[in-house]
Amino acid sequence: MTTIKIHAIAITSLTVAFACFAETNATNTNGSSAPYNEGPVWTLTMIKTKTGLADEYLKQITETVKPVYERRKSKKSSSTTKS
């Protein structure tokens, strides 16, 4: 009985892993008007938006938060070049 459970868990895990890897290459963003770029994810936050307003929310966040991250990035790069 436990071997069946272990096999079922292993098969399920491999299926989910395959689906995740396949999904990363399935989308084509050429010509997309999305306000974000695809790339590695370092932090994940769940934000609930009203239906159809997700892109609008991301545009707003991009306008307000991106300059802060850019300044932080430039400060880090200037401090590493001084060392």
Side-chain angles (χ1 to χ4, degrees):
M1 184 68 173
T2 58
T3 345
I4 294 172
K5 286 182 181 179
I6 292 172
H7 283 66
I9 291 171
I11 290 171
T12 304
S13 298
L14 290 172
T15 303
V16 169
F18 175 75
C20 290
F21 288 123
E23 184 66 29
T24 58
N25 295 325
T27 57
N28 183 7
T29 58
N30 293 342
S32 174
S33 64
Y36 52 84
N37 296 325
E38 289 194 19
V41 177
W42 293 92
T43 305
L44 182 66
T45 304
M46 175 73 168
I47 306 289
K48 246 183 167 179
T49 61
K50 292 184 179 180
T51 305
L53 295 178
D55 283 342
E56 188 63 35
Y57 172 76
L58 289 172
K59 286 178 188 174
Q60 177 198 4
I61 290 297
T62 302
E63 292 170 0
T64 57
V65 175
K66 190 174 182 178
V68 174
Y69 287 130
E70 294 298 325
R71 273 184 273 150
R72 182 182 296 170
K73 209 187 294 185
S74 67
K75 283 183 182 178
K76 278 187 180 180
S77 65
S78 65
S79 68
T80 57
T81 56
K82 289 180 183 178
S83 300

